[in-house]
Amino acid sequence: MSQTNTQTPLTAIILAGGQGTRMKSAKPKVLQTLADKPLLAHVLDTCLHNDGLLNIKKTIGVYGFAGEQVTSAMADYAVTWVEQAEQLGTGHAVQVTLDELSTEGKSLILYGDVPLIHAKTLLKLTKANTDGISMLTLTVDNPFGLGRIKRDNNNKVLAIVEEKDATDVERAIQEINSGIYCVDNALLHKYLPLLNNDNAQNEYYLTDIVKMAVADSIDIQTIEPEDDFEIEGVNNRQQLAILERKWQAKLVEDLQIAGVQFADPSRVDIRGKVEVGQDVFIDVNVILKGDCQLGNNVTIEAGCVIDNSQIGDNSHIKPHCVVSESQLAENVIVGPFAHLRPNTCLADNCKVGNFVETKKTTVGKGSKVNHLSYIGDAKIGAEVNIGAGTITCNYDGVNKSLTEIGDNAFVGSNSSLVAPVKIGAMATIGAGSVITKDATEGRLTLTRAKQHTINHWQRPVKK
Ligand code: UD1
Ligand code: CA
């Protein structure tokens, strides 16, 4: 990518120490989830998986409350963890990273409870100046509680003043500090040891480095985020829910721009990444989780949950289906009320209908499993018809076994196929059979007691 920042090595410092008392949770705040993912994982993904947009060489996480829970939940990410045993303020939190922090390059300072910062915005921040401090600020209607940006007559930044330390005049300032900065590492090494807690909250304020830099005639740059929600933090369940809605609105808008039609953009949830073809239609109350790919002309009707699955062109998922870790080819019809469990592969023109459960099963082209079946650990050929109520008995209490069904076979309704077992191509299974041995191709096989009628039998009569 042409705009990749390669000039200076970047470090990301993520403050993740807060308990989040107002969440009323056993989990630390940064592990609460937004779009199915821990808040902190959103920030780590932005730092570590950004398609090369940000050249972050080292990510330092600062933990405090429930450190073991935080670090083990994030074990998949390459993070250097540092403990802040006592929460003495944001300045102190960054100070404890100094042993791990290079004296060269710059650092992005981020928060585990401010999950939705964009990599693009951070890139702008890193490019704002070369050797000082750049910070994300925003002018808001209600700045209450936040640090204010104090500027001189030439609009140059002078300092950040916290709400609790501010004069009335300073409180009237509407430009607020997001808390997100890009700072030259040499300045962090120089200023952080000099911080004091001589303020209204007796905290070591990170924000004080701004006035120290100004005193050293260092120019401070400010940048605004593209979306306001990028700098929003989470302190309670209400804020978390509001931020979730804003994020969902953004994800849905991106998909609309990509050409997806939503019956109601406010009644769908995206909890992962979705790739789409043209003319996809998504009805209300659909949840898309993990990595999903939807081809051209895919329709997903109301109430479906699609999880880490690929759905091919012109396929149609009828209402209230759950599709997990499955691959559907083209012109496939599923549902209503079908449950495709992991490793279901449906070839072109397949139909899986009402109240059918599948698992670890491949179904060949044009085959149909239309009603009330359980099909697990099975290989089904092309143009097969599986009658209503057919069950693959794949489990003997210990082992899972395979059922193989050849092309053009016809399995009569309410049959039990006791695996391991093979049904030959073109074979027909009589309805109600319990098939325990392989069924010969092209033949009719059935296991059924002969039907007979008792002529002199009489129904009991009530007295
Ligand atoms: C801070 C900023 C303020 C800014 C606001 C934006 C300071 C002094 N003030 O205020 O200018 O407008 O953020 O939300 O920086 N944390 C630690 N260890 C600590 C203290 C804090 O890890 O010792 C973490 C918290 O868990 C939180 C973040 O740092 O994630 C911000 O701390 P918080 O106390 O919420 O800062 P504010 O007082 O809101
Ligand atoms: Ca505080």
Side-chain angles (χ1 to χ4, degrees), residues 240-273:
L240 182 56
I242 290 166
L243 201 55
E244 173 86 46
R245 285 304 104 205
K246 289 183 183 179
W247 183 235
Q248 290 302 328
K250 161 83 176 155
L251 294 176
V252 165
E253 193 180 282
D254 288 348
L255 286 172
Q256 286 175 314
I257 290 166
V260 177
Q261 180 79 31
F262 291 97
D264 180 351
S266 70
R267 281 187 290 166
V268 63
D269 273 52
I270 318 286
R271 299 174 187 166
K273 278 195 194 121

Side-chain angles (χ1 to χ4, degrees), residues 224-289:
E224 291 218 335
E226 190 178 300
D227 292 304
D228 294 3
F229 62 68
E230 289 182 72
I231 62 167
E232 272 181 42
V234 173
N235 294 303
N236 56 41
R237 307 269 184 188
Q238 296 93 312
Q239 288 172 349
L240 182 56
I242 290 166
L243 201 55
E244 173 86 46
R245 285 304 104 205
K246 289 183 183 179
W247 183 235
Q248 290 302 328
K250 161 83 176 155
L251 294 176
V252 165
E253 193 180 282
D254 288 348
L255 286 172
Q256 286 175 314
I257 290 166
V260 177
Q261 180 79 31
F262 291 97
D264 180 351
S266 70
R267 281 187 290 166
V268 63
D269 273 52
I270 318 286
R271 299 174 187 166
K273 278 195 194 121
V274 186
E275 280 174 43
V276 291
Q278 254 185 339
D279 295 308
V280 167
F281 175 79
I282 297 179
D283 212 328
V284 297
N285 298 331
V286 167
I287 299 178
L288 298 168
K289 299 164 86 166

